Amino acid sequence: MLEILSLILCDGDPNWCRSVPNWERGPWLETLLGLRRARGNPRPRLISSHLPVHLFPKAFFSSKAKV
């Protein structure tokens, strides 16, 4: 899924997918390092997670985020 979303984000150009590792393109929300990295990425950003949706921050539900 991360590969597909990365390609959509870059208009189908695979260079970004090939040059930037997965953990930088879609950092994990559950880790402190991933959260810091995600906040530093430009919008729109990709974030990976295996958390159940009810454990997401409350601000998530009032945002324009897509799941």
Side-chain angles (χ1 to χ4, degrees):
M1 184 58 69
L2 184 60
E3 293 296 318
I4 294 168
L5 293 174
S6 296
L7 286 169
I8 290 171
L9 194 61
C10 291
D11 296 321
D13 183 9
N15 290 326
W16 185 54
C17 298
R18 292 178 184 152
S19 62
V20 179
N22 285 345
W23 61 87
E24 287 185 24
R25 285 185 279 142
W28 288 89
L29 180 66
E30 296 91 298
T31 66
L32 186 57
L33 179 62
L35 180 59
R36 287 180 182 158
R37 188 177 303 264
R39 286 183 175 162
N41 286 349
R43 292 181 183 214
R45 55 187 135 200
L46 300 173
I47 299 174
S48 299
S49 180
H50 281 150
L51 286 176
V53 72
H54 69 276
L55 293 179
F56 272 52
K58 292 185 184 210
F60 172 82
F61 300 102
S62 61
S63 72
K64 294 181 180 180
K66 307 264 192 274
V67 179

